[in-house]
């Protein structure tokens, strides 16, 4: 099935649920994928507003433990308010790429959930600078406590670098033209507002895709670059694998073809590699650490009707194998 590689979230004609309210995507499928054990230890690395975390916690018994992370301070503040009196929950502000540095994960994990991308509150709160639908500071950082924001990136990056970001993360065919215009204009007027950047892109690109704002691709690409989203995903998957117990599950929801590809390849690369002659029995040259559980899953028609923001979601589930397992090669 072909999926749009560009998230439709920012500036969609039909934003779906109420502004600022995050409706969890593929909720049942993602939690079922974890095969939750009531006394298990789970990590939700992308708390957001806790839709998945709440469902996960409801499947845990008194001995279960739920670890929550998010790099957005506002998401963590919401988690701390919600779970102030919940002894089964531990909370940490940070990038899931560093989950193995959290001592709470040292005891091993029975499941890791990642629901990638941005939350509705991030998109809908204009001041965060993710959306071109309202004029606001050009920030786009999920973690507002550190790092370079989008305005700073556009003020310092070369034309070539901006072109590559727009193409690689947004498949923006007119990326070079947009980058050239940004670099030509920025000395006279630095790009500090979302409205300013959206207007420039519209001027350069024109209205070419019906129903889609001309800045959709560029805003998505900048967001992915500013937040280092693909690097975080690679590091987070590796860290999760080191902490998963045998039989533990990964349940990962992606919204972009590059993310989904990274997840798919990660699972495949850790499923062991076949070596040996064509006639002889297959031999695992690299020990298998993971096996895919089922195929990629997509939102149901009903979910898509109720929540258009689920449109490009893809869920993949994998299970950690016991050491020495030959995976699916036998
Ligand atoms: C799609 S939302 C998650 C929504 C959540 N599952 C819910 O039901 O409310 C993605 C969240 O992940 C966070 N996030 C994205 N990348 C992250 C990373 N590398 N480390 C930690 N949090 C991240 C974002 O700040 C955002 O709050």
């Amino acid at each position: 099935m072909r999926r749009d590689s560009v998230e439709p979230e920012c500036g969609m004609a039909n934003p779906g649920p109420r502004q600022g309210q995050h409706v969890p995507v593929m909720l049942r499928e993602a939690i079922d994928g974890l095969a939750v054990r009531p006394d298990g230890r789970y990590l939700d690395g992308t708390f957001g507003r806790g839709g998945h975390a709440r469902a996960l916690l409801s499947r845990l018994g008194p001995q279960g433990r739920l670890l929550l992370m998010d790099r957005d301070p506002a998401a963590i503040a919401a988690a701390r308010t919600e779970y102030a009196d919940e002894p089964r929950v531990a909370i940490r502000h940070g990038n899931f790429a560093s989950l193995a540095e959290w001592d709470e994960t040292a005891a091993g994990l029975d499941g890791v959930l990642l629901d990638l991308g941005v939350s509705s509150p991030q998109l809908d709160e204009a001041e965060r600078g993710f959306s071109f639908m309202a004029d606001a500071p050009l920030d786009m950082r999920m973690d507002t406590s550190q790092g370079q924001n989008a305005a700073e990136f556009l003020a310092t990056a070369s034309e070539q670098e901006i072109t590559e970001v727009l193409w690689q993360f947004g498949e923006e065919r007119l990326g070079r033209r947009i980058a050239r215009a940004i670099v030509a204009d920025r000395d006279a007027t630095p790009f500090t507002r979302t409205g300013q950047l959206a207007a420039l892109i519209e001027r350069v690109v024109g209205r070419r895709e019906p129903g889609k704002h001309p800045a959709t691709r560029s805003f998505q690409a900048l967001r992915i670059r500013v937040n280092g989203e693909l690097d975080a995903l690679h590091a987070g998957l590796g860290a999760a694998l080191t902490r998963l117990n045998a039989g533990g599950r990964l349940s990962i929801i992606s919204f972009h073809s590059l993310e989904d590809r990274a997840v798919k390849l990660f699972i495949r690369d850790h499923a062991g590699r076949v070596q040996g002659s064509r006639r002889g029995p297959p031999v695992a040259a690299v020990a298998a650490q993971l096996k895919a559980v089922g195929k990629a899953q997509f939102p149901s028609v009903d979910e898509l009707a109720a929540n258009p923001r689920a449109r490009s979601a893809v869920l993949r589930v994998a299970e950690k194998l016991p050491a020495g397992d030959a995976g699916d090669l036998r």
Side-chain angles (χ1 to χ4, degrees):
M1 182 193 230
R2 192 188 175 282
R3 317 288 306 174
D4 278 354
S5 58
V6 170
E7 264 176 89
E9 298 161 322
C10 309
M12 288 171 33
N14 173 5
R18 202 159 48 78
Q19 290 278 303
Q21 190 188 43
H22 188 88
V23 177
V25 170
M26 301 192 75
L27 179 62
R28 188 185 46 75
E29 297 91 329
I31 305 299
D32 283 354
L34 291 171
V36 178
R37 289 182 15 212
D39 61 348
R41 201 177 176 83
Y42 294 86
L43 181 136
D44 177 350
T46 52
F47 177 77
R49 286 301 178 274
H52 289 94
R54 227 163 280 131
L56 216 171
L57 190 62
S58 74
R59 296 199 192 179
L60 293 180
Q63 303 306 320
R65 190 139 184 87
L66 178 60
L67 312 181
L68 302 176
M69 293 186 85
D70 202 295
R71 65 199 293 194
D72 185 337
I76 289 301
R80 292 200 198 285
T81 304
E82 182 165 352
Y83 293 118
D85 299 320
E86 175 50 83
R88 296 172 299 170
V89 169
I91 301 169
R92 177 169 157 120
H93 174 229
N95 193 322
F96 57 63
S98 65
L99 69 88
E101 290 160 28
W102 188 6
D103 52 11
E104 278 277 357
T105 68
L109 297 169
D110 297 302
V112 173
L113 173 86
L114 300 178
D115 174 20
L116 301 168
V118 276
S119 66
S120 296
Q122 287 169 332
L123 285 173
D124 294 341
E125 199 185 306
E127 292 304 301
R128 301 298 303 264
F130 286 106
S131 171
F132 42 76
M133 297 299 278
D135 186 39
L138 191 54
D139 190 324
M140 294 197 188
R141 287 171 304 161
M142 293 180 191
D143 186 348
T144 46
S145 70
Q146 58 177 315
Q148 189 184 51
N149 66 27
E152 289 160 348
F153 171 72
L154 290 182
T156 51
S158 67
E159 180 183 317
Q160 183 60 23
E161 194 179 355
I162 298 172
T163 306
E164 281 168 13
V165 165
L166 298 182
W167 170 246
Q168 194 187 347
F169 300 142
E171 290 175 14
E172 176 51 84
R173 281 182 298 106
L174 301 178
R176 181 163 301 285
R177 248 192 255 173
I178 297 170
R180 196 175 300 142
I182 289 170
V183 171
D185 285 14
R186 73 184 175 191
D187 285 342
T189 355
F191 287 89
T192 58
R193 310 281 306 174
T194 53
Q196 204 188 347
L197 180 62
L200 172 130
I201 296 170
E202 189 163 2
R203 191 187 82 216
V204 172
V205 168
R207 290 236 163 221
R208 41 170 190 181
E209 294 171 279
K212 191 178 213 166
H213 191 287
T216 304
R217 292 171 180 278
S218 300
F219 268 61
Q220 178 193 275
L222 278 174
R223 189 204 89 206
I224 292 175
R225 166 63 178 74
V226 163
N227 294 289
E229 291 178 36
L230 289 164
D231 289 345
L233 177 57
H234 284 119
L237 290 171
L241 185 58
T242 64
R243 287 307 198 211
L244 273 184
N245 299 324
R249 295 275 182 98
L250 285 175
S251 184
I252 317 285
I253 305 170
S254 308
F255 292 87
H256 187 290
S257 60
L258 290 174
E259 287 172 344
D260 181 52
R261 186 176 150 75
V263 175
K264 185 169 113 181
L265 291 182
F266 182 83
I267 296 171
R268 202 173 76 189
D269 288 350
H270 291 85
R273 228 173 291 142
V274 182
Q275 210 179 43
S277 76
R278 264 204 235 149
R279 281 187 214 104
V283 176
V286 176
Q289 291 178 273
L290 277 178
K291 72 167 183 198
V293 177
K295 297 199 160 135
Q297 298 175 62
F298 304 98
S300 66
V301 172
D302 287 350
E303 177 168 4
L304 289 174
N307 182 14
R309 281 183 175 170
R311 189 158 76 94
S312 13
V314 185
L315 168 69
R316 290 187 190 268
V317 176
E319 183 174 308
K320 179 139 177 202
L321 297 166
D325 199 301
D328 291 332
L329 302 175
R330 280 189 282 222

